[in-house]
Amino acid sequence: MIAQLTFLCATAFVAGAINSVAGGGTLLTFPALTWILGSTESAAVIANATSTFALFPGSIAATWGYRREMTGQGRWITPLIIPSLMGSVVGTLLVVTQPEKQFQQMVPWLILVASALFLMQPAITRWTGIGKPHAHPSSQLLAGIVLFQFVIALYGGYFGAGIGILMLSSLALMGLGDIHQMNALKSLLASAINGMSVVVFIAYQRVDWSYGVPMLFAGIAGGFVGASVSRRLDRNVVRWVVIAIGFGLATYYFTRVYGIGQT
């Protein structure tokens, strides 16, 4: 028990640090929890809920860190936070109310999608012009962005790794040109998505408290350490490490869940 808890806390610490630098911490904590909790169908759901709970404070801390950049962004909060909350509830309810085997079978695909998002991040940045000012969106484009935010939140409530990349792309299309303001809004929306997801997971008793609480504090500590050393780290190196881990895990879960490559 002590060895398992130490392993999970160490994983959460590293995940918190990675989230503060490049994102992708879920790709570490989720498989670590499934390894400890076992390969049953219910274990995958509990691992997802516990991982979300453990890493949730990181988005709140990031929001607080960007509080100054939130000035003047009020006009974007209301149209985006409502679909964020609604989508998160729907996505998380799909996890806790649908057959657990269904989520277990989705795990390899979810990890593959998250890994692909991190792989395509530079291309997405160039395509959407993240960090460059755009004209304010038309009412039709804004409606599309609100709908897209709902879809992002739906995915975020269901699994969540890589939602930051998607939201930055959406915010770029809204005409925001200041990357710090974009990160501020992204952190706020991620807090709403993850927070609502945690509420639903707790209500349905899917969080393993014996692992989740220690991992939560380890993740907070990792986030602080990661933030303090981030200026000395090469974000691209960290991103490629996350990508390699993600695709490796996707291969492992495809093999385990679907028996691909087994004779």
Side-chain angles (χ1 to χ4, degrees), residues 107-109 111-113 115 245-255:
V107 165
W109 297 100
I111 294 177
L112 182 63
V113 168
S115 303
I245 292 173
F247 279 110
L249 289 171
T251 302
Y252 168 74
Y253 279 104
F254 270 114
T255 301

Side-chain angles (χ1 to χ4, degrees), residues 98-128:
Q98 297 300 305
E100 293 172 333
K101 184 177 179 61
Q102 181 174 307
F103 179 78
Q104 185 187 44
Q105 292 176 338
M106 285 293 296
V107 165
W109 297 100
L110 293 168
I111 294 177
L112 182 63
V113 168
S115 303
L117 286 173
F118 282 96
L119 178 63
M120 296 186 298
Q121 184 178 21
I124 294 173
T125 299
R126 289 192 298 269
W127 177 64
T128 57

Side-chain angles (χ1 to χ4, degrees), residues 77-87 150:
I77 294 176
T78 300
L80 292 178
I81 203 165
I82 293 176
S84 296
L85 295 172
M86 293 174 60
F150 176 84

Side-chain angles (χ1 to χ4, degrees), residues 206-251:
R206 294 299 193 272
V207 176
D208 188 316
W209 298 105
S210 62
Y211 292 138
V213 173
M215 289 177 70
L216 181 146
F217 287 105
I220 292 173
F224 277 113
V225 172
S228 64
V229 302
S230 62
R231 293 180 180 85
R232 298 192 295 270
L233 295 177
D234 189 329
R235 288 174 176 263
N236 285 326
V237 172
V238 176
R239 188 176 68 85
W240 279 108
V241 169
V242 172
I243 290 169
I245 292 173
F247 279 110
L249 289 171
T251 302

Side-chain angles (χ1 to χ4, degrees), residues 27-249:
L27 292 176
L28 299 181
T29 52
F30 174 76
L33 281 160
T34 57
W35 185 65
I36 295 297
L37 294 172
S39 58
T40 63
E41 296 166 4
S42 61
V45 175
I46 294 173
N48 186 27
T50 305
S51 174
T52 302
F53 171 79
L55 298 182
F56 166 57
S59 55
I60 296 179
T63 302
W64 176 255
Y66 281 115
R67 62 191 182 279
R68 295 177 181 174
E69 283 74 21
M70 290 300 299
T71 303
Q73 301 305 308
R75 67 186 185 279
W76 302 121
I77 294 176
T78 300
L80 292 178
I81 203 165
I82 293 176
S84 296
L85 295 172
M86 293 174 60
S88 178
V89 170
V90 174
T92 310
L93 285 175
L94 287 175
V95 177
V96 298
T97 61
Q98 297 300 305
E100 293 172 333
K101 184 177 179 61
Q102 181 174 307
F103 179 78
Q104 185 187 44
Q105 292 176 338
M106 285 293 296
V107 165
W109 297 100
L110 293 168
I111 294 177
L112 182 63
V113 168
S115 303
L117 286 173
F118 282 96
L119 178 63
M120 296 186 298
Q121 184 178 21
I124 294 173
T125 299
R126 289 192 298 269
W127 177 64
T128 57
I130 292 176
K132 298 178 181 178
H134 292 271
H136 289 295
S138 63
S139 57
Q140 293 85 356
L141 178 57
L142 181 58
I145 290 171
V146 169
L147 178 61
F148 184 51
Q149 182 65 26
F150 176 84
V151 175
I152 293 172
L154 182 70
Y155 166 68
Y158 198 81
F159 189 63
I163 59 173
I165 298 171
L166 295 173
M167 284 193 287
L168 283 176
S169 302
S170 179
L171 293 172
L173 293 176
M174 292 180 65
L176 294 177
D178 188 319
I179 187 62
H180 299 299
Q181 291 181 339
M182 294 167 66
N183 274 321
L185 277 174
K186 178 206 72 175
S187 300
L188 176 65
L189 297 174
S191 296
I193 293 170
N194 294 330
M196 187 57 68
S197 184
V198 166
V199 169
V200 176
F201 278 135
I202 291 175
Y204 279 82
Q205 300 179 349
R206 294 299 193 272
V207 176
D208 188 316
W209 298 105
S210 62
Y211 292 138
V213 173
M215 289 177 70
L216 181 146
F217 287 105
I220 292 173
F224 277 113
V225 172
S228 64
V229 302
S230 62
R231 293 180 180 85
R232 298 192 295 270
L233 295 177
D234 189 329
R235 288 174 176 263
N236 285 326
V237 172
V238 176
R239 188 176 68 85
W240 279 108
V241 169
V242 172
I243 290 169
I245 292 173
F247 279 110
L249 289 171

